[in-house]
Amino acid sequence: MSRPLGYIGRMRILTRFAAVFLSLSAAIGAPAAARADAGFDRFIAAQWPAAQQMGISRATFERETRGLEPDYSLPDLAIPGKPQKPGAQAEFVQTPAAYLSDRAIGNYAARGRKLAAQYSGELAAIERRFGVPGSILLAIWARETSYGAAKLNYDALRVVATQAYVGRRKDEFRAEFLAALNILDEGHVRRADMKSSWAGAMGLTQFMPTGYLKYGVDLDGDGTANIWTSVPEALAATASLLREEGWQPGRRWAYEITVPAGFDCTHAEPGVTLPIADWLKRGVKVADGRRIPPAAMKDPASIIMPAGPFGPAFLTPANYFVLKSYNFADLYVLYVGHLADRIEDDRPFARDWQQIALVKTSDLEFMQKVLTREGFYNEKIDGKAGMKTRAALGAYQKANGLNLDCWPDAAVLKHMRGG
């Protein structure tokens, strides 16, 4: 004889039903991120042989990867089915006038002079050892982390692990992940203090883990290069990198110049070099009153015009390109070099940067494709008006009887579209 279910009996059945329902829901509709995390765990586990080969202890590997999760909110990832979120880099989304703000650089220069006095002994010792002026190092510190005021809130290990797993440059970041584990294994910094930018760069002057291991400098003999809280050791690491990249002591990073009337702007790119003396013979003049020492007259240099006809031009010897090893963007190098100059001698650019409108990335990509198709350009299609792109635009203008200014304006775009 059956009896009506009591309250407890009904609740047991409902509980079993809910458990089955939730299990089915999880199996059928599990979020992509959750499924990917299992893959992430397998990916991390698969890095142990490489870590072991580098001498990283099993204890460190287990401790630092236990509970490690990917951060899918990072820019520059390549997750299937998910639109990419590019990292916003000011050097590519601001006009020269905005990026090279006279007011901002003037404020940083004033602070830099105080810091130059505060660390005068350490900066002098670093320059004797590496040949890099303190003003250059201070300017890089300012640009990278606002003299340490910028907050680096990302877990560096998590960042590089995520990028190694689903980033656009997996192999590069796999090396960074292993280097980050190496840093932790050797005890150079605690995991809680190993903070980075969203791109994985660490410390006061922003080093990737592999860069830290290669260029870090232990000045005080404590067995570690402290780029996180020691200003002298962070600046020494930067000097170590620049020297390794070929910094020439006693030489400037660039000279602001004026070009002669009728100057062919297609020559304003790194592939066209002449000794400084030869440029001067061709009518190039130093615009900011600085003297070029006789010893530098034979040094090869290029001309760059970052804003085309709408801003200053520069004569760029070897040290300019050494600075590009820190950040490849020309506006970055101009910022650092100019700020270094103003820390030593507070003078603005001789010529102002005019306000110009940035060309849409899609339009620039179209221009680059046309230039590539017609044989004027063989570089990356990236939607950025770099020096190679502008020289190619100038060649296109010459070939088609257009006004020659090497600038991606509406007239060039209209011509390319058959207008």
Side-chain angles (χ1 to χ4, degrees):
M1 180 178 175
S2 63
R3 291 181 295 178
L5 284 173
Y7 173 77
I8 294 176
R10 289 195 300 273
M11 289 305 296
R12 283 174 176 166
I13 290 174
L14 288 172
T15 300
R16 291 190 189 113
F17 175 77
V20 171
F21 176 78
L22 289 173
S23 297
L24 288 172
S25 297
I28 296 170
R35 290 198 300 272
D37 287 359
F40 177 77
D41 292 342
R42 289 192 295 272
F43 169 78
I44 294 299
Q47 306 313 306
W48 165 242
Q52 184 181 35
Q53 190 172 11
M54 289 177 63
I56 297 167
S57 72
R58 185 73 192 189
T60 295
F61 187 88
E62 293 291 345
R63 181 184 71 245
E64 301 301 344
T65 62
R66 187 180 303 118
L68 186 63
E69 296 180 350
D71 183 352
Y72 293 121
S73 70
L74 294 175
D76 255 9
L77 301 183
I79 303 174
K82 184 177 180 180
Q84 290 188 12
K85 178 184 176 184
Q89 200 170 338
E91 292 83 7
F92 300 118
V93 297
Q94 291 184 359
T95 64
Y99 185 87
L100 297 162
S101 162
D102 182 75
R103 180 177 180 181
I105 291 178
N107 289 338
Y108 273 138
R111 177 83 190 282
R113 285 188 287 276
K114 294 179 181 178
L115 290 166
Q118 179 181 347
Y119 293 103
S120 59
E122 294 92 334
L123 290 171
I126 291 171
E127 183 168 6
R128 285 193 299 270
R129 180 171 174 179
F130 297 104
V132 183
S135 58
I136 290 286
L137 304 177
L138 291 170
I140 289 174
W141 181 22
R143 182 65 255 180
E144 293 294 341
T145 62
S146 190
Y147 293 127
K151 300 302 179 185
L152 304 176
N153 297 321
Y154 290 87
D155 176 344
L157 187 68
R158 187 185 186 196
V159 168
V160 295
T162 303
Q163 292 286 359
Y165 178 53
V166 288
R168 293 189 299 109
R169 296 172 289 161
K170 294 182 178 65
D171 289 343
E172 178 181 328
F173 275 96
R174 180 174 176 272
E176 299 297 347
F177 171 69
L178 294 170
L181 286 174
N182 196 356
I183 291 168
L184 293 166
D185 189 55
E186 292 179 356
H188 294 296
V189 65
R190 295 187 311 129
R191 170 76 174 278
D193 297 326
M194 198 167 78
K195 299 298 184 181
S196 74
S197 68
W198 62 260
M202 311 177 300
L204 297 173
T205 51
Q206 293 287 273
F207 277 83
M208 297 300 291
T210 54
Y212 171 85
L213 292 174
K214 184 174 182 179
Y215 300 113
V217 179
D218 176 14
L219 293 177
D220 58 13
D222 67 351
T224 191
N226 180 4
I227 64 170
W228 293 273
T229 60
S230 169
V231 172
E233 292 192 348
L235 299 183
T238 299
S240 173
L241 182 155
L242 295 177
R243 183 187 66 175
E244 184 70 19
E245 292 294 332
W247 183 269
Q248 297 182 0
R251 295 292 198 265
R252 277 187 56 74
W253 66 279
Y255 295 92
E256 186 181 349
I257 59 170
T258 59
V259 296
F263 176 75
D264 186 340
C265 59
T266 64
H267 294 165
E269 59 106 345
V272 180
T273 62
L274 289 172
I276 290 176
D278 287 3
W279 284 119
L280 299 180
K281 290 175 184 176
R282 295 185 180 207
V284 169
K285 298 182 184 301
V286 177
D288 58 8
R290 286 185 170 83
R291 175 178 170 271
I292 301 177
M297 286 296 184
K298 293 183 180 180
D299 293 348
S302 307
I303 288 178
I304 67 163
M305 303 172 71
F310 307 110
F314 300 88
L315 196 59
T316 56
N319 282 346
Y320 180 92
F321 299 96
V322 172
L323 288 175
K324 283 174 76 77
S325 66
Y326 219 91
N327 185 314
F328 196 74
D330 290 291
L331 290 185
Y332 177 93
V333 177
L334 290 170
Y335 193 107
V336 165
H338 183 58
L339 174 54
D341 285 347
R342 293 189 60 171
I343 289 172
E344 295 181 358
D345 180 6
D346 196 15
R347 285 186 283 171
F349 288 111
R351 182 183 176 187
D352 292 335
W353 299 93
Q354 297 180 39
Q355 293 293 341
I356 53 177
L358 290 176
V359 179
K360 291 181 181 177
T361 299
S362 58
D363 287 341
L364 268 170
E365 287 177 347
F366 171 78
M367 290 181 179
Q368 289 172 328
K369 289 175 183 177
V370 172
L371 294 170
T372 300
R373 185 184 69 225
E374 299 197 10
F376 297 109
Y377 183 73
N378 60 359
E379 304 291 330
K380 183 179 179 181
I381 306 296
D382 59 5
K384 300 180 177 72
M387 289 183 286
K388 294 284 189 181
T389 297
R390 294 199 301 273
L393 282 166
Y396 179 91
Q397 289 170 328
K398 287 198 288 187
N400 290 278
L402 301 176
N403 178 51
L404 179 60
D405 62 6
C406 301
W407 195 249
D409 59 16
V412 179
L413 183 61
K414 182 179 179 181
H415 189 277
M416 288 181 170
R417 287 178 171 162

